[in-house]
Each structure stands twice: as structure tokens, then as C-alpha cells.
DNA sequence: ATTTTTCTGGCACAACTGTGCCAGAAAACG
DNA sequence: CGTTTTCTGGCACAGTTGTGCCAGAAAAAT
């Protein structure tokens, strides 16, 4: 029959091209032509795998969130199989640190994601994924804080719901500003702020 | 001589049109034609007051930050002329609350500003203003925390520098998420989180 | 009333966009 | 080898963009 290509992998490769282009020229630079060029394909080829420009962006968003959530999930399983208060604290910190752009790669990733989320406000097709990720983040953070409190690593008088919101906002805010002005928020400052915040939650003076 | 028009006011009116358009259709919708339509002008007229599309956006950004900083400044002077710990605490909270989108108007404003900042990452002309605002926010927050500590309203063992970074990130993160999902972060939750955060800074259990 | 200068509106052009369409290449099966 | 079907590349078209250019309106000063 025909030339056979792994369509799923192709789509992923094109998504990578989307990430590169958005990273370099923003979402408005992610035209079919630019993306095709970046992927080393012709526009017609890209359109063979994506019916629409919208579908391309939606898939790219979904792909990025999928990879990210996989990373977080691995931290979650590691956390649930960890014993001992100090160890659990360290793993939890690493898990939450996954939400921060602690190196150039993740900073670009965060920038691309911000572009998606910002665009989603006026592009209904992009809203579902943006919202899912935000809700997923809330869930994970709430779960981590909840289990920490049950394990005695967290002050008893804390309202886990409120603290989850606060921590999520802190992580997102740190990310936002680190993307905007990396020199004002270098990786070590990010981790300092996170660690210090967690210390206030665990009852240490 | 010629028909005389208050050029400064015209420019401000056009900037308002820019805000509306960005609020409704995002930054990529802020073309000269769309903005001119929104302002009830012809493209040629808009171009008479702005040499460039870039200059239009830069001016709009500057105008928005100017108005915002004016609001903050008024809170600052009110704070400096306030006596009594409880009163000072309330005024400080109101000041910091000015950074949050506590109503629909400020939520749209915040969304527009986010569009500017996001775009600034790949548009060098927009970076200066974005950075100034971020640094201005840092300055104000650091000043507020510093004076609170000197006045005894803040725990002595706190590192004001670190706490400023943390508080700035928290405010920005709350704003970001409130813009993205207003139903998850309604105004009363925003103020709850801020108040609770400030309580942890002032030594209350 | 004439002049002078700001201001207005719009035409035109090149560059870009997404998309419809299709001819031909490429490769696995008969 | 030939057939069939996926895949590729590209042309064409309508729509949008920023910008250059300019004719004429509008109004203040002479």
C-alpha cells in the first residue's frame, strides 16, 4: 500500500516545531508556514496531519501539558513510596519545584505555556486544556499538602484549601516573573522562596 | 491657523480603544484598523497621532502603567499619613489589594496588561515598560514591608527582601489565575489569601 | 475672504495569513 | 511489474496586516 509514516510521531515532531517557533517569535509567529519551515516540512504536509490551524495549536497544547503532567506524576509516585519525614519533605519540595522554571529549558517551556494560556482567554478552543492544567495543579498541590498534614509534617491549624490556593498562586507568580525577568528571579532565588514558604507551612519558626 | 485638537487627549482616547480591543480580541486583534474603528476614527487619523503601530502599543502600555501607578501612589501617600497599627494594617492591605483584580474592570485591565507583558518577551520595544512596572511593584512592596517592620507590625526575623519577592509573586500569581479562571478565584478568595498571607507576616499565629 | 496649517479619510501596495485544491512522488501489496 | 493509497509539495485565492502617499476638509489668523 502507501508510504507508511508513524502519524503520531509526526504530529509530535510538528508540535516540537510549534514550541520552538512560539519560544522564538511568540504565538502569533506560529503560522503554518513558519511551523512547517521549522519542522522541515511543506505546508501541505503539515496540513495532512492537522486539519486545522486550531487543531495544530490544540494538539501542541495538549502535548505540552501531557509531558508536563507525566513529570509531575512521576514525582507523585515517588512521594507516595517515600518514608521518613525529612525524605518526604525533600521529595515534596522537588515535586513542587517541578512547577518552577529552574533552568533555561523549563523557562522556555513556561513561556510557551504562558503564551497558550494568554491566548486562551480570547480563543475558546484553547480554554479547556488551559483550565484542566490549572485544575490539575490545584489537585496535586492540595493532595500534597493534605497528605503532609495527615503525616504530621504540616501545621494542624492550616486550612489546606486556602493554602493550596496560596501555594499555587505563588508558584505561578514565580514562574510568570521568572519568565519575564530571569535576572530578577534566578533559579536559586526561586528555590529559596519555595523552601522558605514551605518552612512556614511546616510549623518551623 | 488649523483645526486645533488636544493631541494628548486624542492619544489617550486611542489608547482606551486599544485597551477595549485587546480586552475583547487579544493583542493580535489590536490592528490599526480595529483600533481606529473602536475609537470611531479613520486609520489615517490614528496614524496622524502615532507614527507607528509600535509607538501606539508602547504609548498604550505606558498610559496603562501610568494610571495604575497613580492609583498605587495615592495609596502610598495615604499609608504614610496614617497613624495607629490597626489603621496602618488596613491601609497596607488596601494598597496591596490594588495589585489584585478585585472587580471586573480591574480583571480586564489585568488581562490586557498580561497580554502586553507576554508579548514583550518577543517584542523588545515593549520590554522596558514591562520591566519598569515589575521593578516598581518590587520597590513598593519592599517599602511597605520595610516600613511595617520598622513600625513593629512585622516579625523581626523576616528577611524583607525575600518576603518582598514572595509577596510580589503571590500577587502576580493570584492575578494571573484570577484572569484565567475568575470562577476559581473570585474577589473574596483573593482578599482572603492576601489577608491570610499578611497575617503570617505580622507574627499572628 | 484668503491664506495657512493641522487634521481627516481613503486609496494602493507588498507582505503575510489560513485554506481549497490537485498533480505527482513514494512505497507496500498484488 | 503494476496498482493502490498515503503522503508531499505547491499553486491560487480571499482576507488581513502595516505603511506610503495624497487630496481635500476644517478652522484659526490675517
Amino acid at each position: 500500500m502507501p508510504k507508511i509514516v508513524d502519524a503520531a510521531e509526526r504530529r509530535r515532531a510538528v508540535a516540537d516545531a510549534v514550541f520552538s517557533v512560539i519560544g522564538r517569535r511568540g504565538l502569533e509567529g506560529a503560522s503554518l508556514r513558519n511551523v512547517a519551515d521549522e519542522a522541515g516540512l511543506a505546508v501541505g504536509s503539515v496540513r495532512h496531519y492537522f486539519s486545522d490551524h486550531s487543531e495544530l495549536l490544540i494538539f501542541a497544547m495538549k502535548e505540552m501539558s501531557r509531558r508536563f503532567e507525566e513529570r509531575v506524576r512521576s514525582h507523585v509516585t515517588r512521594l507516595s513510596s517515600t518514608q521518613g519525614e525529612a525524605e518526604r519533605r525533600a521529595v515534596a519540595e522537588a515535586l513542587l519545584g517541578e512547577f518552577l522554571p529552574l533552568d533555561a529549558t523549563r523557562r522556555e517551556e513556561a513561556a510557551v505555556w504562558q503564551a497558550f494560556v494568554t491566548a486562551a482567554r480570547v480563543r475558546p478552543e484553547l480554554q479547556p486544556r488551559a483550565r484542566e492544567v490549572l485544575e490539575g495543579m490545584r489537585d496535586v498541590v492540595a493532595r500534597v499538602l493534605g497528605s503532609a498534614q495527615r503525616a504530621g509534617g504540616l501545621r494542624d491549624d492550616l486550612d489546606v484549601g486556602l493554602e493550596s490556593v496560596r501555594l499555587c498562586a505563588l508558584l505561578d507568580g514565580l514562574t510568570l516573573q521568572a519568565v519575564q525577568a530571569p535576572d530578577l528571579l534566578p533559579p536559586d532565588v526561586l528555590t529559596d522562596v519555595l523552601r522558605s514558604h514551605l518552612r512556614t507551612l511546616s510549623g518551623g519558626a
Side-chain angles (χ1 to χ4, degrees), chain A:
Chain A
M1 301 242 183
K3 173 165 34 175
I4 276 212
V5 172
D6 184 338
E9 189 166 306
R10 248 314 148 71
R11 283 164 68 94
R12 260 172 284 152
V14 176
D16 281 329
V18 171
F19 302 151
S20 295
V21 173
I22 295 181
R24 202 171 342 108
R25 328 210 329 191
L27 217 179
E28 21 173 314
S31 68
L32 283 182
R33 282 162 181 84
N34 289 344
V35 170
D37 280 2
E38 176 76 26
L41 299 174
V43 178
S45 298
V46 174
R47 290 193 58 214
H48 182 257
Y49 295 97
F50 298 94
S51 63
D52 234 12
H53 185 236
S54 273
E55 203 218 317
L56 170 61
L57 293 188
I58 292 172
F59 176 82
M61 237 179 132
K62 193 166 168 170
E63 177 64 16
M64 174 165 277
S65 65
R66 198 190 55 77
R67 296 183 194 176
F68 176 70
E69 281 167 354
E70 189 132 353
R71 295 207 304 261
V72 171
R73 211 185 323 274
S74 89
H75 277 107
V76 170
T77 63
R78 190 176 324 156
L79 177 61
S80 65
S81 69
T82 298
Q83 299 288 337
E85 180 162 331
E87 290 81 2
R88 283 183 63 86
R89 189 180 308 260
V91 174
E93 186 180 316
L95 187 160
L96 295 169
E98 194 64 59
F99 287 93
L100 297 175
L102 294 176
D103 52 47
T105 303
R106 277 183 282 181
R107 198 158 55 227
E108 171 162 330
E109 204 182 39
V112 172
W113 186 253
Q114 274 173 31
F116 279 132
V117 170
T118 301
R121 199 184 61 88
V122 291
R123 292 212 211 174
E125 336 93 71
L126 304 183
Q127 260 169 40
R129 274 358 270 186
R131 199 185 170 87
E132 279 174 30
V133 168
L134 184 56
E135 288 177 350
M137 180 186 187
R138 276 234 184 150
D139 267 25
V140 169
V141 170
R143 228 185 295 276
V144 169
L145 291 186
S147 80
Q149 192 175 49
R150 278 189 299 277
L154 213 66
R155 285 166 45 187
D156 287 333
D157 57 330
L158 290 184
D159 174 350
V160 171
L162 184 72
E163 294 304 331
S164 299
V165 174
R166 187 158 71 112
L167 182 48
C168 281
L170 179 66
L171 291 170
D172 252 14
L174 287 171
T175 301
L176 181 74
Q177 296 186 356
V179 166
Q180 194 197 330
D183 56 313
L184 290 184
L185 281 165
D188 57 295
V189 172
L190 296 177
T191 57
D192 280 357
V193 173
L194 173 59
R195 184 170 299 125
S196 139
H197 185 84
L198 295 181
R199 211 177 306 137
T200 68
L201 297 184
S202 63

